[in-house]
Amino acid sequence: GAGVSQSPSNKVTEKGKDVELRCDPISGHTALYWYRQSLGQGLEFLIYFQGNSAPDKSGLPSDRFSAERTGGSVSTLTIQRTQQEDSAVYLCASSPKSASYEQYFGPGTRLTVT
Amino acid sequence: TQLLEQSPQFLSIQEGENLTVYCNSSSVFSSLQWYRQEPGEGPVLLVTVVTGGEVKKLKRLTFQFGDARKDSSLHITAAQPGDTGLYLCAGALITQGGSEKLVFGKGTKLTVNP
């Protein structure tokens, strides 16, 4: 079966513009995660969706960041009024259960804010 | 403050050498995972350790979970160029809300020279 897919693979945007990043998780996976990875850094947790529960938004760095997951499947991460410090690789992962189970990662979206 | 400290951050060795990567924390984890990430791709799970003191072997890779479940190590025997990549440890924490969340270390970038 297909793995986690993300689009676009690369996004270059001007400072101040809004961007939307998409994640298609593995079918049937109830948990979906967004992470941010800056150059030379580990993964920074952003947000976590688990089934129909309220998402854990504790990792979102500012109110310019938001995410939604429609129908328990596809997720969109939106960054409003982008800043240069938002430049990073944004990774999405899905899991059949909770965090302690294997997370399957997509290839990421490389965002560059000029 | 980094919850999970990985060391060393960078490691460059010759083919055939042995190496150990460390992952340390003051927090207790319900489980700990090791991932390997190659450029342009998302991390891929290598192993999950759950029990304090647990040792798991995956061919030339040996993973150990500390007795107190606060630290872990990854040992590679007779490293090969194909082992080159970013190695990430990730600990599963139970949040105040009762859900689980993975926290990642910054990673160890390993280069094995032929």
Side-chain angles (χ1 to χ4, degrees), chain B residues 52-103:
Chain B
E54 183 177 2
V55 177
K56 280 193 174 179
K57 292 191 175 184
L58 185 66
K59 296 183 181 178
R60 294 176 292 99
L61 278 60
T62 301
F63 304 85
Q64 185 164 7
F65 201 13
D67 291 341
R69 291 185 289 129
K70 294 181 178 181
D71 54 84
S72 181
S73 64
L74 158 60
H75 182 79
I76 302 179
T77 304
Q80 299 177 359
D83 296 328
T84 294
L86 179 67
Y87 289 82
L88 296 155
C89 65
L93 285 174
I94 307 295
T95 68
Q96 287 187 337
S99 63
E100 278 190 315
K101 185 165 69 176
L102 270 186
V103 290

Side-chain angles (χ1 to χ4, degrees), chain A residues 7-37:
Chain A
S7 61
S9 55
N10 282 285
K11 177 71 176 180
V12 180
T13 190
E14 292 180 353
K15 177 182 172 181
K17 294 285 180 69
D18 298 351
V19 295
E20 284 189 354
L21 312 180
R22 178 187 168 106
C23 172
D24 284 87
I26 293 174
S27 178
H29 280 194
T30 58
L32 187 146
Y33 311 82
W34 282 98
Y35 296 91
R36 179 168 69 176
Q37 187 174 32

Side-chain angles (χ1 to χ4, degrees), chain A residues 40-64:
Chain A
Q41 301 294 312
L43 274 65
E44 176 190 3
F45 165 78
L46 296 177
I47 189 169
Y48 162 42
F49 296 90
Q50 174 62 277
N52 296 321
S53 302
D56 178 352
K57 303 179 181 181
S58 61
L60 295 178
S62 77
D63 59 8
R64 297 185 296 105

Side-chain angles (χ1 to χ4, degrees), chain A residues 63-107:
Chain A
D63 59 8
R64 297 185 296 105
F65 288 73
S66 63
E68 62 177 20
R69 188 179 185 191
T70 54
S73 182
V74 172
S75 178
T76 302
L77 176 69
T78 301
I79 308 174
Q80 296 179 312
R81 306 181 302 281
T82 52
Q83 304 294 312
Q84 287 186 331
E85 60 263 30
D86 299 335
S87 296
V89 175
Y90 289 82
L91 289 159
C92 172
S94 69
S95 175
K97 295 185 181 180
S98 62
S100 59
Y101 289 83
E102 176 174 4
Q103 295 192 15
Y104 296 79
F105 284 83

